[in-house]
Amino acid sequence: MSILEIAPLVRGAYLAARSVPVILSPSDEAELELNVESVDQLAGAFPVELPDTVAVTVAGERHGFRAHTVGEVSPLPHGKDAEASAAAPRSRVVAGKVALVTGGAQGFGAEIVRGLVASGAFVYIADLNADGAAKLADELGPHTAALTVNVADEDSVSAMAEQIAATTGGLDLVVSNAGIVRAGSVLEQDADAFRLTTDINYVAFFLVTKHLGGLMATQRRTAPAWTTDIVQINSKSGLVGSNKNGAY
C-alpha cells in the first residue's frame, strides 16, 4: 500500500480527534496497533481518542507514526464554524499548520514562506532551484523543509506528494506561486518559449492541484470538518494582456 493512501488517513484521524494541526513522523513505537485488510476498512477503524504513536497494518504492510505539533497551538473552528476564525489574528489561522509554497526559493515565493514561518506554520519550500530552497530552509530553521520539484512535470509533482505524505502525513495549505516570464510578441515568439511559459504558469497549477489536492481529499475522508486551502498566485496580466507578453 502506498504511503499516499495511508498517511493522510492517519493524519486526518488525528485532526478529527484533537482539532489541532499535527505532523506525522515515522515511528517504530506504537501505543495502538490497527490491523485491517483494506484502506477502506482503515478509514473507519480509528477510535475517538488516539495516543501519540500508532501503527497501522493494511493487507500485511505495517506503517508506524508519531503525532506532534509545531509549537503551541490551540483549536480553531472548522467546517460550518470556520467563519469565526476570520476574526482571529492572522498568525493564529496558520499556526501549527503544514503549508507548501511552489517557487518558494526566491522572490515573492520566499517572502510568502517567511511570512508563514513567522506565523508559526511548518512550510515546504518547493522549487526547481534546489540550492536556493535548501539555503532558505537553513536560514529559517527546523519548521521548514526544502523540496526539489519541477512543477511542470507530472512525475516530479507526484513524487513530491509522496514525499510530503511520508514526512508530515498531509497538508493544510498549498500556495501555487511558481511562475516565469518569457517576453515576446505573439508575432515573434518561438513555440518552445510559449510552451514553457504555459507549462509553468498554467499546466503546473493543474498538476499541483491534482496531486496535492488528492492528498488533501484523502485526509478529508477521516477529517471531514477540517478545512484546507489551495491558493493560486496570479498577475494582473491574467486580466489585461500585453502585446510584448503574449504567452504570459
Side-chain angles (χ1 to χ4, degrees), residues 24 40 46 50 64-65 123 137 147 153 158 177 182 197 200 207 217 227 231-232 240 246:
L24 293 189
D40 285 341
F46 295 99
L50 288 169
F65 303 96
V123 186
L147 294 175
D153 178 79
S158 175
N177 165 77
R182 292 293 183 268
T197 304
I200 298 297
L207 294 176
T227 53
V231 177
Q232 164 72 352
V240 179

Side-chain angles (χ1 to χ4, degrees), residues 99-114:
L100 177 141
V101 181
T102 67
Q106 60 279 309
F108 193 33
E111 294 309 310
I112 295 172
V113 170
R114 287 190 174 94

Side-chain angles (χ1 to χ4, degrees), residues 37 125 137 153 188:
E37 290 302 316
I125 306 167
D153 178 79
E188 63 187 33

Side-chain angles (χ1 to χ4, degrees), residues 3-97:
I3 193 71
L4 273 169
E5 298 177 275
I6 294 171
L9 289 177
V10 179
R11 183 173 190 254
Y14 275 102
L15 296 175
R18 300 187 176 183
S19 297
V20 297
V22 299
I23 286 178
L24 293 189
S25 301
S27 175
D28 293 328
E29 302 176 2
E31 300 163 81
L32 173 67
E33 293 273 357
L34 297 175
N35 195 330
V36 297
E37 290 302 316
S38 69
V39 170
D40 285 341
Q41 288 182 5
L42 177 62
F46 295 99
V48 174
E49 296 185 4
L50 288 169
D52 289 341
T53 56
V54 62
V56 299
T57 301
V58 182
E61 184 175 319
R62 186 178 185 274
H63 296 269
F65 303 96
R66 176 180 296 277
H68 57 95
T69 62
V70 175
E72 296 294 325
V73 294
S74 56
L76 276 174
H78 285 278
K80 293 181 180 179
D81 297 323
E83 294 82 0
S85 67
R90 291 175 64 185
S91 61
R92 186 177 173 226
V93 174
V94 297
K97 293 189 175 181

Side-chain angles (χ1 to χ4, degrees), residues 149-163:
V149 63
N150 178 357
V151 291
D153 178 79
E154 183 158 17
D155 289 341
S156 183
V157 176
S158 175
M160 176 176 68
E162 187 165 350
Q163 188 173 352

Side-chain angles (χ1 to χ4, degrees), residues 8-9 12 15 79 214-228:
L9 289 177
L15 296 175
L215 191 64
M216 291 172 162
T218 301
Q219 178 179 279
R220 185 175 173 81
R221 291 183 63 188
T222 46
W226 189 264
T227 53
T228 56

